[in-house]
Amino acid sequence: MAAMRTHRRTPSRQAAWRALCAAALAGTLALLTACSDDSPSAQWNDGKNGSGQEQQQDSGPKQGGTVTSPAADATDVPASTEIAFQLENASNPSIELKSESGETVEGALQEDGKSWLPGGALDYGTKYTVTVNATGADGKPTSNSSSFTTMAKPTKVVRVSSFLGENQVVGVGMPLIVRFGRAVPEDFRDDVQRRLFVQATPQQEGIWHWTSPTEVHYRPKTFWQAGTKISYRMQTGGLPMGDGYFGRADVSVDVKIGPSFIMTVDNKTKKMTVTKDGKVIKTIPVSLGKKSTPSASGTMVVIEKQRKTVFDTMDDPNPANRYRTPIDYAQRLTWSGQFIHAAPWSEGVQGRTNVSHGCVNVSMAMGAWLFGQTRIGDPITVKGTEEKLENGNGWTDWNMSWDQYMKGSAIPYNG
């Protein structure tokens, strides 16, 4: 049997092998020592955290816009909702709103740049997706979306209406008048007022003023400029109005201001001065209320015009004030019954003596002339009588100073 051969390294080859291993070990130790400082960026990272889960790499500060209201996946959202959002390290926001069927909703950013209002009430019981687009601080576009669903159509609604009709031409003192079919609780009036928009061309400073829980007026700081074009919109469809009620619909109206036609009556002279577009065009003798039934001093506007009517006060408790008289060219100034009208029975004393029951008496000829010149909303100021006009007795918006008028707004005025 042949002997087994055993291979052995010679001493010189073994020494070389040991030297090679020692060198490799030294290099490894040196590498580990170099990576053992306290800097997190220098620590060993195998792409996993302590639990063996993948770590996400930090891509820098968050950028873009997010919707803050309505909340993501919110339901029962009012159809009047506006979209509130916030930006983080981004600018130039734009909003896209689409229904579940893909229909795009038009709208516009609000003045504060923090919210976006649809152009009208949204459809009831409909899912919408809103996307906030913006430009990140790095100049790259960003986009974030969320969805919400509007409420079912409400059964308790409030009718909102405009006193003025479409394309009506009115006087320079005409307030814009919005009426509500139900009283608006005080806590809700600021929300309602924020949905009342007025666009005047040329632009003029103005404000809303609540005359009652069911009526709000708008007037400029001074009389409207002649020829002004006005578009006003009540975006109240689906808007919460308290006690579970919601606005029934949106309403929009366009009107125009006619020439500046202003009447001023001075009790001292017993004359009416008529100014048209800044020029005096007529001086008219008048007779005002006698001492027992004085005319009211203050600024009023023409509320309504009746070519023929009958003044009937037979229910007055004072027999001396009872009468039933046919009247021509009647123009109402107050709810209590102060008019401009033709009074042929007082023509002999007009310009000299007050004999009326509080109205502004003019001759038949001047009554006809005035009736043909005036429009609803033309202002008249009566001065120097024994009684002051009570605010609310007619459209007395101009009987208040601008400071007084501003106090009737549900939203503080910033000018």
Side-chain angles (χ1 to χ4, degrees):
M1 184 174 181
M4 182 178 291
R5 298 180 63 183
T6 301
H7 296 280
R8 299 177 63 188
R9 291 186 177 93
T10 62
S12 60
R13 292 178 66 186
Q14 289 177 342
W17 177 258
R18 285 194 296 268
L20 179 61
C21 290
L25 180 60
T28 300
L29 290 173
L31 178 61
L32 291 173
T33 301
C35 295
S36 65
D37 62 36
D38 293 332
S39 172
S41 62
Q43 292 177 354
W44 176 260
N45 186 354
D46 62 356
K48 299 179 183 293
N49 59 23
S51 62
Q53 300 296 319
E54 294 289 337
Q55 290 182 332
Q56 293 183 350
Q57 295 185 355
D58 186 0
S59 59
K62 183 179 179 181
Q63 300 184 103
T66 54
V67 176
T68 58
S69 179
D73 301 320
T75 58
D76 205 30
V77 174
S80 62
T81 191
E82 62 183 278
I83 309 301
F85 62 91
Q86 64 181 14
L87 298 178
E88 189 171 353
N89 298 312
S91 59
N92 302 320
S94 65
I95 303 296
E96 293 179 3
L97 183 64
K98 290 186 177 182
S99 66
E100 197 169 17
S101 63
E103 183 179 358
T104 298
V105 178
E106 299 297 327
L109 286 172
Q110 297 284 59
E111 291 184 2
D112 62 4
K114 297 179 181 180
S115 64
W116 183 90
L117 185 65
L122 302 179
D123 293 334
Y124 290 108
T126 302
K127 185 176 182 179
Y128 288 89
T129 297
V130 56
T131 301
V132 182
N133 299 305
T135 303
D138 59 4
K140 295 180 180 180
T142 67
S143 181
N144 288 298
S145 300
S146 68
S147 298
F148 63 89
T149 302
T150 55
M151 65 184 291
K153 187 175 181 179
T155 57
K156 298 166 66 176
V157 295
V158 178
R159 184 174 184 267
V160 182
S161 60
S162 164
F163 174 81
L164 295 177
E166 183 71 9
N167 297 320
Q168 190 170 350
V169 181
V170 294
V172 296
M174 184 68 210
L176 308 181
I177 300 174
V178 177
R179 292 172 174 167
F180 304 92
R182 181 181 183 275
V184 179
E186 193 169 353
D187 289 347
F188 286 80
R189 292 177 198 170
D190 57 341
D191 292 334
V192 171
Q193 194 172 316
R194 288 188 179 93
R195 295 302 179 87
L196 306 178
F197 304 99
V198 178
Q199 182 177 356
T201 306
Q203 186 175 353
Q204 290 151 73
E205 184 179 3
I207 195 171
W208 291 98
H209 175 100
W210 290 82
T211 62
S212 77
T214 59
E215 189 165 301
V216 63
H217 292 196
Y218 182 98
R219 56 153 270 203
K221 190 172 184 178
T222 58
F223 289 146
W224 294 106
Q225 295 180 36
T228 297
K229 295 180 179 179
I230 303 171
S231 294
Y232 63 107
R233 175 167 53 98
M234 294 77 84
Q235 194 168 329
T236 50
L239 183 68
M241 291 190 178
D243 303 323
Y245 282 84
F246 297 82
R248 188 172 75 174
D250 297 340
V251 182
S252 297
V253 180
D254 292 338
V255 298
K256 184 177 179 180
I257 303 299
S260 174
F261 191 89
I262 299 173
M263 297 164 280
T264 303
V265 176
D266 189 341
N267 184 40
K268 185 176 181 179
T269 62
K270 307 292 189 293
K271 288 183 171 59
M272 174 192 290
T273 301
V274 180
T275 303
K276 186 173 184 179
D277 292 329
K279 297 181 179 179
V280 175
I281 60 171
K282 190 80 71 174
T283 300
I284 302 172
V286 301
S287 179
L288 300 178
K290 56 184 181 290
K291 286 187 178 182
S292 61
T293 55
S295 301
S297 287
T299 299
M300 300 153 273
V301 300
V302 175
I303 296 174
E304 64 177 346
K305 298 174 63 174
Q306 296 175 293
R307 171 61 184 83
K308 287 182 177 292
T309 188
V310 175
F311 286 179
D312 188 339
T313 64
M314 297 304 292
D315 58 352
D316 193 296
N318 184 352
N321 294 331
R322 295 174 188 168
Y323 59 89
R324 185 182 290 115
T325 306
I327 299 293
D328 291 294
Y329 307 114
Q331 303 190 58
R332 179 184 286 275
L333 305 178
T334 69
W335 304 127
S336 62
Q338 187 166 322
F339 287 75
I340 306 169
H341 65 84
W345 56 85
S346 69
E347 287 188 17
V349 298
Q350 289 171 12
R352 295 186 291 111
T353 307
N354 292 335
V355 297
S356 84
H357 290 86
C359 292
V360 179
N361 284 185
V362 297
S363 68
M364 282 292 287
M366 288 298 96
W369 182 83
L370 278 171
F371 198 87
Q373 294 286 323
T374 59
R375 290 178 169 84
I376 300 299
D378 278 336
I380 175 172
T381 299
V382 176
K383 302 186 296 184
T385 65
E386 300 89 340
E387 186 171 284
K388 291 187 179 299
L389 177 66
E390 181 181 352
N391 286 331
N393 186 13
W395 296 336
T396 54
D397 303 73
W398 299 101
N399 200 50
M400 289 177 266
S401 69
W402 180 242
D403 287 341
Q404 288 176 311
Y405 201 77
M406 288 191 294
K407 293 178 182 178
S409 172
I411 302 172
Y413 186 67
N414 296 322

